[in-house]
Amino acid sequence: MTSEIFVLGAGIVGVSVALHLQERGRSVVLLDRNAPGEGASFGNAGLIERASVIPYAIPRDWRALLGHASNRNAAVRYDPAFLPRIAPWLLGYWRASHPDRLKKIASELLPLIEACLGEHERLVDAAGLSHLLRRDGWIEVVRSAATLEEAGRRSADMQATYGLASDVLDRQALTRLEPALRSAAIGGIHWRDPFTVSDPGALTKGYAALFEARGGTILREGVNHIAPEGAGWRIATENRSHSSAEVVVALGAYSNTLLSPLGYRIPLVAKRGHHMHFRPEGEATLRHSVLDEEIGYVLSPMTAGIRLTTGIELAAPDAPANRIQLDRAERRAREIFQLGMPVEDKPWLGLRPATPDMKPVIGPANRHPGLWLAFGHAHHGLTLGPATGRLLAELMTGETPFADPSPFDIGRFL
C-alpha cells in the first residue's frame, strides 16, 4: 500500500495523531500489530488528568526513599536484577526530580495538559462517545489528620498557582460524595477539573472508528523495520511492504525497536503496571475514581467492574505479569472500599513508556526527513494523546503550533 503518511501504533497517541492529520486533509494509514486501544491505552486508570500538572518524580524525602528501597510497598516495586540495566535512566530521573528542574519540566508540559480536556471533548463529541466520559473529577483520599492538613495546603497552592478547582474534604464531606468509603479514609481532596473514562480501551477504539468513518485505513500488521527509500519511506511488515512519504512512530515502549537501526537510541524505560477488576461487595457503589496516594493505587469504576490499578513496577518488559503489587494494594484497598470477588483470573499487564526527564518525545527525527516521533508519555498517555496529536499534526503541516515543541524534541537525547 502507498499512502501520504503511515502512523505506526494504534494506541491513544497514534490514533490521535492520525485523526488530526486526517482533519488537515492528509491521507493516512494507521498500522499496528494489535487492534486499536490495546496495550497501555487499554489498561490505565482512566484519568484524563488535568490536575496532575507536576510529573511523578523520585521523592527527595529520605523516609519515602527508604520505603521504596524496602521493595515491600504497593506504590513502587522493582526487580533487583533489572535495576543495573536501567541505572543511567534512573540517574537521569533522579536529577530531573530536583525541585528546580521539576518546576521547569512542569511548566513545559503545562500547555499540553491545559489542552487535554478540550481536545478529548471535541473527539468524544464527534465520535459519539459521551457515555464513556464523566466530568466530575476524582478523589484523592487520605488516612491521617496530618496528611489531611498537608492536603489542604497542597490544594490551596494548586488553586493559586495553576487555577485548579478542588475541595478539601473532611470525613463528613467525603461520605456525602462517596457513602461506601470506609472509615480508614478520613478525608481527601476532590480534584474537580479532570475527566474520567469508564472504558479507556473502548474510548480509543471509538476514536479509531471515527478515523475509519472519515475514510482512514487501519491495517493489522506488525512492523519489522522502516528504512528511507527515495524521497520517502519503506515500511516492512511481517509479510509485505508499504511505501509512504512520511512516517510517524507512535509505538510507545516499543518505539526504540524501529529507531535503533536508524541510529537513534532514546533512553526509554517501560514502567510496568497491572490491573484487575473486582465486583463491589453487596450494594456498595463507587461514584468517582479514588487515588490512595499514601499506599499507591487507584480504584476506578469501570464498565467491567471496579478496576484496581497498581503503581510502578521496574522489571524486564517481557517478564510475566504477576500479582505482587496487586495483592499488596488489594489488602489496603479493602480498608477503603468493599471489594468483592475478582472478575478475571489473571492480572492485566501494560507498559508505560517513560523518559528520564518525564517529557514525551514529540516532533521530527532530526536526522531523517519525513520521520516523526510521538511516544514516551509515561502515566499520561490517555491524558495527552489528543493534545499530542494536535501538536504533531501542526508541526507536520507547517501550522503555528499551539504549544512550544522544543522541550519535546529528540535532540535533547542525541
Side-chain angles (χ1 to χ4, degrees), residues 93 108 158 169 199 209 271 363:
Y93 205 105
E108 292 168 338
M158 296 298 276
L169 310 171
D199 190 335
K271 294 181 178 181

Side-chain angles (χ1 to χ4, degrees), residues 32-84:
D32 199 313
R33 182 189 308 275
N34 301 311
E38 304 297 331
S41 296
F42 171 83
N44 55 74
L47 307 179
I48 300 176
E49 249 307 52
R50 174 62 183 89
S52 288
V53 297
I54 308 297
Y56 296 105
I58 296 177
R60 316 299 278 195
D61 178 76
W62 65 268
R63 288 166 295 188
L65 281 174
L66 283 177
H68 292 329
S70 72
N71 211 16
R72 295 178 179 176
N73 62 25
V76 178
R77 178 186 177 270
Y78 58 90
D79 176 359
F82 181 68
L83 293 189

Side-chain angles (χ1 to χ4, degrees), residues 57-129:
I58 296 177
R60 316 299 278 195
D61 178 76
W62 65 268
R63 288 166 295 188
L65 281 174
L66 283 177
H68 292 329
S70 72
N71 211 16
R72 295 178 179 176
N73 62 25
V76 178
R77 178 186 177 270
Y78 58 90
D79 176 359
F82 181 68
L83 293 189
R85 293 169 53 183
I86 61 168
W89 181 90
L90 283 171
L91 179 59
Y93 205 105
W94 166 257
R95 288 171 174 166
S97 298
H98 185 279
D100 292 340
R101 292 191 65 184
L102 192 63
K103 183 178 180 180
K104 183 175 187 298
I105 291 166
S107 69
E108 292 168 338
L109 285 166
L110 187 60
L112 297 184
I113 291 176
E114 288 177 330
C116 71
L117 301 183
E119 291 299 325
H120 266 289
E121 275 208 298
R122 193 174 63 81
L123 293 180
V124 162
D125 291 344
L129 299 172

Side-chain angles (χ1 to χ4, degrees), residues 92-350:
Y93 205 105
W94 166 257
R95 288 171 174 166
S97 298
H98 185 279
D100 292 340
R101 292 191 65 184
L102 192 63
K103 183 178 180 180
K104 183 175 187 298
I105 291 166
S107 69
E108 292 168 338
L109 285 166
L110 187 60
L112 297 184
I113 291 176
E114 288 177 330
C116 71
L117 301 183
E119 291 299 325
H120 266 289
E121 275 208 298
R122 193 174 63 81
L123 293 180
V124 162
D125 291 344
L129 299 172
S130 60
H131 61 287
L132 297 177
L133 203 65
R134 297 188 299 269
R135 296 170 171 84
D136 55 357
W138 57 272
I139 296 173
E140 176 185 344
V141 297
V142 299
R143 292 170 173 256
S144 69
T147 310
L148 183 59
E149 184 177 343
E150 190 278 330
R153 291 192 294 268
R154 183 155 44 88
S155 172
D157 181 63
M158 296 298 276
Q159 289 190 47
T161 306
Y162 298 105
L164 296 173
S166 61
D167 299 315
V168 179
L169 310 171
D170 58 17
R171 176 62 200 182
Q172 188 176 15
L174 178 63
T175 301
R176 284 196 296 269
L177 282 178
E178 290 290 350
L181 290 185
R182 289 174 160 168
S183 58
I186 70 160
I189 305 174
H190 180 198
W191 299 102
R192 291 189 280 116
D193 293 285
F195 297 160
T196 57
V197 180
S198 61
D199 190 335
L203 185 78
T204 304
K205 290 180 187 298
Y207 288 173
L210 175 64
F211 170 72
E212 285 189 297
R214 290 174 169 177
T217 299
I218 300 177
L219 299 180
R220 290 281 303 275
E221 300 177 25
V223 183
N224 289 338
H225 64 268
I226 58 175
E229 185 176 68
W233 288 85
R234 180 170 55 85
I235 302 102
T237 67
E238 297 151 321
N239 50 21
R240 57 176 173 167
S241 64
H242 308 283
S243 297
S244 180
E246 297 180 281
V247 173
V248 177
V249 177
L251 287 166
Y254 301 100
S255 296
N256 268 333
T257 303
L258 292 185
L259 295 174
S260 294
L262 297 171
Y264 303 93
R265 187 62 185 175
I266 315 304
L268 197 66
V269 167
K271 294 181 178 181
R272 288 161 49 106
H274 295 79
H275 85 230
M276 287 190 75
H277 295 98
F278 294 80
R279 297 178 180 88
E281 189 177 86
E283 300 298 318
T285 59
L286 194 64
R287 301 171 182 173
H288 300 77
S289 294
V290 173
L291 167 67
D292 188 348
E293 186 160 352
E294 291 177 61
I295 307 302
Y297 66 86
V298 178
L299 291 175
S300 304
M302 296 276 180
T303 304
I306 304 298
R307 179 177 290 183
L308 172 61
T309 307
T310 65
I312 300 163
E313 183 183 44
L314 297 175
D318 56 355
N322 64 75
R323 288 202 53 160
I324 297 172
Q325 280 181 294
L326 277 167
D327 288 343
R328 292 171 180 171
E330 181 186 340
R331 286 193 295 270
R332 303 305 303 273
R334 290 184 182 279
E335 300 169 358
I336 297 289
F337 183 77
Q338 303 170 59
L339 292 175
M341 295 298 294
V343 174
E344 306 97 349
D345 295 328
K346 297 179 181 180
W348 174 90
L349 167 66

